């Protein structure tokens, strides 16, 4: 019995000893860091992801794709596109889009980049991040109204961010742009040198970004035209004193590529969901109706229809400029800035200047699409001259409606047209059914499920700045 | 125990659960232990658009298995660690024995397989659309149609005839002559209206898409040799399984080799080793909801289009491109899918162990066991150019390996503390390491057609990653028995893991169980009625660890896409520049292990010397601190957070009864019935988490919801009145007389069944043995997404009623501006038509346009799972042939008969494979039935 006990006890002791002496080295919790992932990334690697995400998400199928059906640039022919085009749009349809705006390379990444640029003392990066943040936030509140911002982006520290009032958010956007403008005017630092390759929009050109920032300020001032009585004065002061866009090379556009993993999102949609969306017959009928003499008694409708419409035998509903593999997605154009100016001067009663900028806007739009189609290149200028000749000046020619109708044609495949329609009621659209064109997007199902501060609304609750 | 086969595809993975579910997002499947060493048995998950993958259980040669037992409840699993929290399947392999000469066993079998039930399709209406007031069909039928209509709402086949008039030239610009038309589209000619002057008398044919499936054949061959003497025994085997599935070109081949040997080196020292090698390679075909799934193209094809007539244009017209009813749009022709798209994979696996056992003194021994499980997985997923999902072509090779090392050192001791009391003790330690590494390349866009290689692309992405973690443990098992009547057993395990934060890395979980054999007491001792009776009770705590790398938030290089264009995406580097973004999952530095506390009581009763055996348990388990990827509002900057966030309660009975109805020298008949009803309720989800999305689509979803049974289905329903009757729209307009769709997702039921049961019959007569198993699943819902889609396209059999009057049963009413139901209670008598407008255009009569509740069906079943008839030649006619040890001929049929209210394919199916999101059927591959004949002979 004794011998037994000794052996038994010593066996157990041996086991205990061997294990405990090894344990510290064997169970090393520092090996729980994924060696194939990074916990930090430099600004030069964050910016490209943010810009591509903006191009793909804000310029893509959940934003432009849907608003284009609402303002009748396009028509939902089948499946989910027909459902949404018929104004049957639900919170569950918004989950991917909302997540792209808020998490990862949307506003979350932009915010991280802004903070890093500040720590790294790279003023151009910081200025650019603020412009991009203003675009993300501006577009988000344009579509959804009240959205989270001041309490957002805190992760587990605040799982129920409150929804800020849209009125306050436009102030935030303006403040962000003003700050951006101040940073963009500072001398570039060493870190900013990497912008020449990381910035797809302008290669780090601070002046180009400055013009965009001012143009955005003008756009967001215009947005409040129904509620801010001074709006026209404010826009005019920007037009008269700030650096302005002066040609289409100043446009803020993300260019996609021909390789299969770099295609434009609208092109990808047309390939994967061929036949879901097609040209809107009413829009193209309207363009055709604008038939003018382009010389020698030849009559031609608005030549931009050659660029906008679906090329024969293809499913590319967005046309030659916006629907190809390497098409750009566009965020701010020279043409838009000119139309903003025209509308401001018209509201202020200065019809000469209004006409001036109206002409610039139309010319900018016509010029933007040159180089895609031979017939267009041959005739567009002649058509433009004939068209401009139909405006005689004064309050009614071009009238406010004329300005907005032409802005509508120029802004084909851009979300800004949906904003203008809600703000002014122009162009005069006939809804497809009795429900009517929605006044906003529904909140994402994820917010409804997981954030108890999400307000209850319908898609027919007008935003505070709408007509 | 509940086993769900996930698909009829060759090599698809079964989903096994013992005693209900224990985890919400984590692994609910049991641990497989082979000869005392746990092995990897994972894999088999899918996403909604992939193939059916094998789990690693496919690598085990069934002919090498001597016995399988299932260990349930906390007590048994406390010995195998945290991975055994869902139960253990203990497999013991065949060993050699001391004998004269060698034993040689040979077995061979062949299986023939065909598909079982499939969704019913209509064969009366042709491709096209009538809604717009004009016939708006397909260009190959109607030259005025601008594109190939994707639906089957066209004219009735009875009104159509073929024409082969060489002067009737189609004006669609695609084909230039009738001869071309016949060559590209349909050998019978073009379809025209029967009253047309070009019509012949040949009536339109309705093609049957199910002709696509074939008879699958599988052959199994196995040879094993074993032998031994006083000191050494060995067992070795080699086997081959070759299978062609019911889907053309779906194949699986597996070859295994195993050797098992033991040697007594000294009087009290024995060494043994086992090595199993298997090589499996498979060619798999797509299922599910992406553009290139077999069933999508197959079931949406209108009756007037014959997919089999060709899947690729070889002439001048669209050379090399796909021939499908959408002429290049929509979904792939299923023949294109099986010929031009292939998911091939090869797995080489080696698992085995080395064991040394030392008998220190009598009743005290020490064992060292070292187990290795290594597998290398190599796969290539290839899409030919012009495939709908990747029109420029795609090829992606992946190479990965997994290596698990498991070591145990333990001692066993037995001693009689007194004449009546015996103590058995076991104590030991364990060290385990898991390592996984992979490298993958993805070529999106091929240059030279037909060459699937990353060198054949100008756009190649590379990925690499790994996953490694370790655990170690100290464990003990003490047992006391008193007079072989009363048993007390206590176990404990103290375990640490590297996947937990330092402060929480170690955890202790004990168990205790009691057994009482009352049949030897007093008056019962010599009872003729009760031969054996035992009562048992146990209480156990087990744990589960998080997956690795979850304590930190990372930046990732992620592709950008949206819900419309997947699987197309933008990859980084984009235009030559690389980009990273914060991950969508937040890391959590406060993770704790999951714990499960369970108790059970039960009894085992044996009457009349085994004539009747009853066994039953009741169990109650609470799983707390369940680890989940909890979705959070994206406005927080992240979409998910991995955290301890839920609690689940599972209770149920497990009952078993065996009756030997006839027991005699020549005839024996016994029936075994087992019945279980595990019910898992989600009792709590953490603050701010109203529900957890387990899987599915935007609508419907399978969720874990606090207060509901696990795996609840949420979706939209029609508007109903307070009594649950349908409210039929009484407002004038387009939808007068139709039901009204609801606007917010509600609870529609649960995927989990109420109870499951099995009835096994064993009959033997002289040399014959007949065995059949009836499997019953009662309750449980499944989303028949396939039917929802086919209703939209007009191909389902129920849309054949499109021109007939239909009256919805319900009460007249409507929804007012405040969202309230207003009803008069009048019974609806309005006749309406369930036509194209209702199903496709403006209405709500399909899974795409309306609520999903009409498509949530009862998926219970009663099935004849297997029937085996075998004949034992040895016993019957070869009794005196000494050199033949056994010889059996058998015939087996699987799944020969199925009765179910579910209207789609065999409801034993899962779109997402062996994952937690069960309950979805969206163009899943059909189930199969099979017939096997085989011979086993031993020398």
């Amino acid at each position: 019995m004794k011998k037994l006990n000794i052996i038994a006890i010593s066996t157990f002791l041996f086991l205990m000893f061997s294990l405990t002496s090894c344990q510290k080295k064997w169970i090393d919790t520092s090996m729980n860091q994924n060696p194939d992932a990074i916990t930090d990334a430099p600004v030069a690697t964050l910016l490209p992801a943010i810009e591509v995400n903006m191009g793909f998400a804000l310029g893509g199928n959940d934003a432009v794709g849907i608003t284009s059906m609402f303002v009748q640039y396009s028509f939902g022919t089948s499946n989910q596109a027909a459902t949404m085009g018929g104004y049957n749009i639900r919170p569950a349809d918004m989950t991917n889009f909302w997540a792209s705006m808020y998490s990862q390379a949307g506003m979350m990444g932009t915010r991280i980049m802004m903070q890093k640029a500040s720590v790294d003392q790279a003023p151009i990066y910081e200025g650019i991040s603020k412009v991009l943040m203003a675009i993300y936030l501006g577009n988000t509140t344009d579509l959804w109204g009240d959205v989270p911002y001041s309490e957002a982006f805190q992760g587990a520290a605040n799982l129920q961010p409150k929804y800020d009032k849209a009125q306050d958010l436009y102030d935030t956007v303006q403040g962000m742009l003003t700050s951006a403008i101040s940073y963009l005017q500072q001398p570039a630092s060493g870190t900013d040198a990497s912008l020449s390759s990381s910035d797809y929009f302008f290669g780090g050109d601070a002046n180009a970004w400055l013009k965009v920032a001012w143009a955005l300020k003008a756009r967001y001032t215009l947005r409040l035209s129904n509620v801010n009585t001074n709006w026209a004065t404010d826009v005019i002061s920007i037009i008269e004193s700030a650096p302005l866009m002066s040609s289409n090379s100043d446009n803020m556009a993300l260019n996609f590529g021909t390789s299969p993993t770099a295609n434009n999102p609208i092109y990808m949609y047309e390939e994967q969901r061929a036949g879901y969306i097609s040209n809107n017959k009413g829009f193209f009928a309207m363009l055709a109706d604008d038939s003018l003499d382009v010389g020698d008694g030849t009559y031609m409708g608005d030549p931009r229809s050659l660029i906008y419409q679906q090329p024969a035998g293809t499913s590319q509903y967005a046309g030659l400029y916006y629907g190809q593999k390497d098409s750009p997605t566009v965020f701010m154009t020279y043409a838009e800035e000119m139309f903003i100016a025209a509308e401001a001067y018209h509201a202020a009663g200065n019809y000469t200047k209004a006409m001036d900028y109206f002409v610039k806007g139309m010319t900018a739009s016509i010029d933007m699409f040159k180089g895609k189609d031979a017939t267009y290149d041959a005739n567009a200028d002649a058509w433009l001259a004939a068209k401009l000749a139909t405006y005689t000046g004064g309050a009614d020619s071009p009238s406010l409606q004329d300005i907005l109708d032409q802005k509508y044609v120029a802004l084909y495949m851009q979300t800004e047209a949906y904003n203008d329609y809600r703000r002014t009621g122009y162009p005069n659209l006939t809804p497809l059914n009795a429900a009517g064109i929605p006044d906003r997007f529904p909140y994402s199902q994820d917010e409804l499920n997981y954030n108890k501060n999400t307000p209850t609304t319908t898609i027919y609750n007008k935003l505070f700045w709408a007509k | 125990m509940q086993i769900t086969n996930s698909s009829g595809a060759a090599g698809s993975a079964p989903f096994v659960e013992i005693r209900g579910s224990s985890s919400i997002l984590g692994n609910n499947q049991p641990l497989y232990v082979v000869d005392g060493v746990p092995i990897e048995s994972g894999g088999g998950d899918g996403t909604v658009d992939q193939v059916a993958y094998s789990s690693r259980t496919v690598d085990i040669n069934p002919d090498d298995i001597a016995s399988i037992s299932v260990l349930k409840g906390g007590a048994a699993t406390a010995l195998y660690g945290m991975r055994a929290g869902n139960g253990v399947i203990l497999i013991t392999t065949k060993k050699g024995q001391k004998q004269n000469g060698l034993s040689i066993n040979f077995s061979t079998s062949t299986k023939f397989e065909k598909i079982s039930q499939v969704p019913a399709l209509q064969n009366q209406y042709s491709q096209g659309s009538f809604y717009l007031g004009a016939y708006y069909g397909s260009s190959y039928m109607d030259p005025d149609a601008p594109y190939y209509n994707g639906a089957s709402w066209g004219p009735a086949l009875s009104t159509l005839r073929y024409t082969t008039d060489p002067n009737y030239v189609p004006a669609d610009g695609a084909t230039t002559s009738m001869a071309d038309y016949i060559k590209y589209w349909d050998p019978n000619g073009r379809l025209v209206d029967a009253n047309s002057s070009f019509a012949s008398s040949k009536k339109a044919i309705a093609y049957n898409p199910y002709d696509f499936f074939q008879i699958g054949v599988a052959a199994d061959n196995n040879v094993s040799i074993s032998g031994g003497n006083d000191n050494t025994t060995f067992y070795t085997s080699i086997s081959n399984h070759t299978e062609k599935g019911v889907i053309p070109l779906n194949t699986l081949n597996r070859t295994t080799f195993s050797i098992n040997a033991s040697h007594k080196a000294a009087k009290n020292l024995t060494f043994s080793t086992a090595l199993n090698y298997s090589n499996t390679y498979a060619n798999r075909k797509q299922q599910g909801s992406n553009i290139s799934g077999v069933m999508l193209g197959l079931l949406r094809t209108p009756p007037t289009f014959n997919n089999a007539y060709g899947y690729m244009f070889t002439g001048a017209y669209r050379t090399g491109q796909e021939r499908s009813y959408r002429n290049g749009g929509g979904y792939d022709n299923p023949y294109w899918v099986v010929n031009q798209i292939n998911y091939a994979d090869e797995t080489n696996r080696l698992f085995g162990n080395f064991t040394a056992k030392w008998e220190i003194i009598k009743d005290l021994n020490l064992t060292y066991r070292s187990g290795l499980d290594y597998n290398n997985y190599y796969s290539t997923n290839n899409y030919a150019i012009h495939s709908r999902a990747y029109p420029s072509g795609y090829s992606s090779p992946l190479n990965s390996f997994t290596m698990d090392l498991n070591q145990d050192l333990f001692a066993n001791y037995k001693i009689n503390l007194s004449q009546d009391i015996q103590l058995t003790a076991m104590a030991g330690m364990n060290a385990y390491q898991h390592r996984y590494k992979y490298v993958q390349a993805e070529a999106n866009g091929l240059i030279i057609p037909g060459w699937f290689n990353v060198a054949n692309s100008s756009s190649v992405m590379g990925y690499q990653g790994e996953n490694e973690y370790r655990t170690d443990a100290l464990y003990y098992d003490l047992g006391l028995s008193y007079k072989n009547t009363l048993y007390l057993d206590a176990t404990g395990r103290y375990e640490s893991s590297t996947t937990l934060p330092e402060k929480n890395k170690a955890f202790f979980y004990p168990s205790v169980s009691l057994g009482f054999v009352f049949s030897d007491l007093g008056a019962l001792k010599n009872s003729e009625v009760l031969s054996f009776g035992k009562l048992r009770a146990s209480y156990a705590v087990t744990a589960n660890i998080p997956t690795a790398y979850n304590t930190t938030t990372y930046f990732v290089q992620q592709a950008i896409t949206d819900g419309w264009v997947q699987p197309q995406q933008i990859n980084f580097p984009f235009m030559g520049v690389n980009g990273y973004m914060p991950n969508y999952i937040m890391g959590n530095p406060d993770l704790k292990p999951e714990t499960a506390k369970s108790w059970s009581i039960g009894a085992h009763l044996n009457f009349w010397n085994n004539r009747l055996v009853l066994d039953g348990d009741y169990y109650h388990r609470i799983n707390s601190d369940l680890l989940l990827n909890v979705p959070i509002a994206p406005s927080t900057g992240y979409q998910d957070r991995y955290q301890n966030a839920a609690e689940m309660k599972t209770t149920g009975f497990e009952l078993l009864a065996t009756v030997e109805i006839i027991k005699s020298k020549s005839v024996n008949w016994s029936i075994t019935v087992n019945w279980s009803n595990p019910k898992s309720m989600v009792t709590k989800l953490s603050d701010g988490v109203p529900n957890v999305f387990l899987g599915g689509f935007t609508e419907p979803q399978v969720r874990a919801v606090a207060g509901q049974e696990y795996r609840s289905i949420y979706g939209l329903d029609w508007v109903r009145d307070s009594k649950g009757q349908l409210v039929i729209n009484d407002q004038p307009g387009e939808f007068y007389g139709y039901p009204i769709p609801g606007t917010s997702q509600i609870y529609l039921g649960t995927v989990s069944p109420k109870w499951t049961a099995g009835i096994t019959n064993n009959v033997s007569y002289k040399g014959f043995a007949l065995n059949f198993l009836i499997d019953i699943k009662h309750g449980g819902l499944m989303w028949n997404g396939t039917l929802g889609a086919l209703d939209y396209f007009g191909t389902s059999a129920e849309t054949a009623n499109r021109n007939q009057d239909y009256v919805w049963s319900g009460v007249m009413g409507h929804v007012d501006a405040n969202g309230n139901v207003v009803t008069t209670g009048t019974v609806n008598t309005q006749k309406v038509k369930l036509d194209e407008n209702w199903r496709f255009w403006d209405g709500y009569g399909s899974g795409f346009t309306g609520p999903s509740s009409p498509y949530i069906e009862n998926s219970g079943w009663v099935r004849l799972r297997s029937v085996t008839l075998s004949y034992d030649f040895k016993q019957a006619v070869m009794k005196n042939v000494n050199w033949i040890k056994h010889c059996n001929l058998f015939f087996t049929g699987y799944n020969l008969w199925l009765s179910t209210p579910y209207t789609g394919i065999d409801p034993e199916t899962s779109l997402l494979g062996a994952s937690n999101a069960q309950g979805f059927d969206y163009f899943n591959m059909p189930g199969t039935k099979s017939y096997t004949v085989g011979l086993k002979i031993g020398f």
Side-chain angles (χ1 to χ4, degrees), chain B residues 154 313 431 890:
Chain B
F313 293 114
F890 66 92

Side-chain angles (χ1 to χ4, degrees), chain B residues 335-473:
Chain B
Y335 291 92
W336 176 279
V337 173
V338 297
N339 281 286
Q340 301 286 81
I341 299 171
N342 194 36
Y343 279 51
D345 58 80
E346 176 166 352
T347 308
N348 284 289
R349 187 175 190 185
L350 187 65
F351 64 93
N353 68 72
F354 168 77
T355 308
K357 186 166 166 181
W358 172 31
E359 273 212 40
I360 305 171
I361 54 169
K362 180 171 177 298
D363 290 338
L364 174 65
N365 55 59
L366 186 68
T367 306
Y368 170 74
R369 183 166 57 218
S370 177
L372 169 74
D373 185 357
Y374 174 85
N375 84 61
N376 171 271
Y377 176 83
Y378 186 90
S379 73
T380 49
N381 298 347
N382 296 327
Y383 290 72
I385 298 174
H386 301 305
S387 301
R388 290 290 302 137
Y390 293 104
S392 308
Y394 176 92
S395 176
S396 174
L398 162 72
N399 195 344
S400 71
F401 79 84
T402 308
M403 189 187 82
D404 288 355
L405 205 53
N406 189 67
Q407 297 184 80
D408 276 286
L409 176 65
F410 58 94
N412 279 294
Y413 181 53
K414 192 162 69 172
I415 185 169
N416 287 334
L417 294 176
S418 80
Q419 197 193 32
D420 295 327
I421 304 178
Q422 186 184 69
L423 169 72
T424 51
M426 190 268 284
M429 55 199 236
N430 169 277
Y432 170 78
Q433 173 175 287
H434 168 88
R435 179 182 298 157
Y436 169 76
K437 293 196 192 206
Y438 77 91
V439 171
Q440 182 180 13
E442 199 181 26
N444 194 331
L446 302 175
I447 304 167
I448 301 175
W451 183 31
F452 298 104
N453 187 300
V454 292
N456 187 25
S457 173
S458 55
S459 153
V460 182
M461 282 283 293
Y463 309 90
Q464 74 184 82
E466 62 187 80
N467 190 303
E468 181 166 348
Y469 72 91
R470 293 176 181 161
T471 64
D472 69 15

Side-chain angles (χ1 to χ4, degrees), chain A residues 25-285:
Chain A
K25 281 190 288 185
W26 183 253
I27 301 293
D28 180 2
T29 54
S30 68
M31 71 183 280
N32 204 28
Q33 288 277 64
N34 189 343
D36 293 316
I38 39 173
T39 47
D40 199 10
V43 287
T45 57
L46 293 174
L47 184 63
I50 291 166
E51 292 187 350
V52 175
N53 183 64
M54 182 178 279
F56 197 91
L58 265 187
N61 303 299
D62 287 316
V64 168
I66 296 178
T67 58
S68 297
M69 286 196 286
F70 287 172
V71 296
Q72 302 181 359
Y73 287 139
S74 61
F75 175 71
T77 326
S78 85
N79 294 53
Q80 291 94 316
T83 311
M84 286 194 207
Y87 316 134
N88 184 353
I89 183 169
R90 304 176 292 188
D93 299 323
M94 294 283 108
T95 52
N96 287 325
F97 184 31
W98 181 273
S100 317
M101 290 295 104
Y102 272 92
S103 68
Q104 296 202 274
M107 288 191 270
M108 182 68 184
T110 311
R111 189 159 174 274
I112 292 177
M113 182 168 70
M114 223 188 311
Q115 290 163 342
K116 274 180 167 303
S118 177
V119 164
D120 292 347
Q121 300 196 324
I124 312 300
Y125 266 106
E126 195 164 355
I128 292 176
S129 341
K130 286 178 187 261
V131 175
L132 294 174
M133 185 61 116
I135 293 177
Y136 271 126
L137 181 60
N139 275 284
T140 305
T141 184
D142 283 341
L143 290 172
W144 281 288
D146 296 346
V147 294
Y149 184 77
S150 58
E151 285 190 3
F153 315 118
Q154 296 176 58
N158 186 345
L159 291 172
Q160 318 281 334
K162 78 166 197 263
Y163 277 63
D164 295 324
K165 290 254 146 263
Q167 291 88 323
D168 297 333
L169 290 172
Y170 284 105
D171 289 339
T172 310
V173 168
Q174 292 287 3
M176 186 87 59
L177 288 166
T178 309
S179 174
I181 286 165
S182 116
Y183 277 99
L184 287 167
Q185 288 171 326
Q186 290 178 22
S189 76
T191 318
D192 291 321
S194 58
L195 282 167
S196 57
S197 49
S198 66
D199 175 19
Y200 297 109
F201 289 114
F202 297 116
D205 179 353
N207 283 321
W209 281 103
L210 262 175
K211 292 182 202 173
V212 167
W214 282 111
L216 287 169
K217 278 185 85 66
R219 177 201 274 176
Y220 286 110
T221 310
L222 173 70
R223 182 80 75 247
L224 304 180
S225 68
N226 292 328
V227 294
N228 174 7
T229 43
N230 292 328
W231 77 270
T233 326
D234 294 338
V235 171
I236 288 169
S237 79
I238 293 174
I239 299 296
E240 292 185 348
S241 55
L244 293 184
M245 296 170 128
S246 53
S247 76
N248 281 311
S249 55
D250 289 332
N251 290 349
M252 180 179 174
L254 186 76
N255 292 304
F256 288 88
T258 49
S259 127
T261 53
N263 292 161
N264 177 295
I266 309 262
Y267 175 82
M268 284 188 184
Y269 183 96
E270 292 161 341
E271 251 200 339
Q272 296 288 313
R273 309 277 175 172
Y276 277 35
I277 297 184
S278 60
N279 282 159
N280 189 302
K281 293 191 183 134
F283 179 72
F284 286 92

Side-chain angles (χ1 to χ4, degrees), chain B residues 41 113 132 141 158 180 192 218 223 302 352 356 375 390 427 440 442 460 482 542 559 594 661 772 783 806:
Chain B
S41 45
E113 193 171 21
L132 297 173
M141 287 170 66
S158 55
D180 266 350
V192 294
V223 177
N375 84 61
Y390 293 104
Q440 182 180 13
E442 199 181 26
V460 182
Y482 175 71
T542 53
E594 301 181 341
I661 299 179
F772 58 94
W783 175 59
Y806 184 85

Side-chain angles (χ1 to χ4, degrees), chain B residues 757-777:
Chain B
I759 305 172
T760 312
N761 269 276
N762 282 306
V763 184
S764 65
Y765 170 65
K766 300 200 176 161
F768 287 98
L770 175 69
N771 165 302
F772 58 94
L773 168 62
I774 296 174
D775 189 334
I776 306 174
K777 180 180 103 145

Side-chain angles (χ1 to χ4, degrees), chain B residues 849-872:
Chain B
T849 53
S852 57
S853 62
Y855 304 104
I856 310 286
E857 300 183 22
N858 183 342
S859 66
W861 67 66
V862 178
R863 73 173 71 224
L864 182 59
R865 186 177 287 286
S866 68
V867 180
T868 304
L869 176 64
S870 67
Y871 185 64
D872 184 348

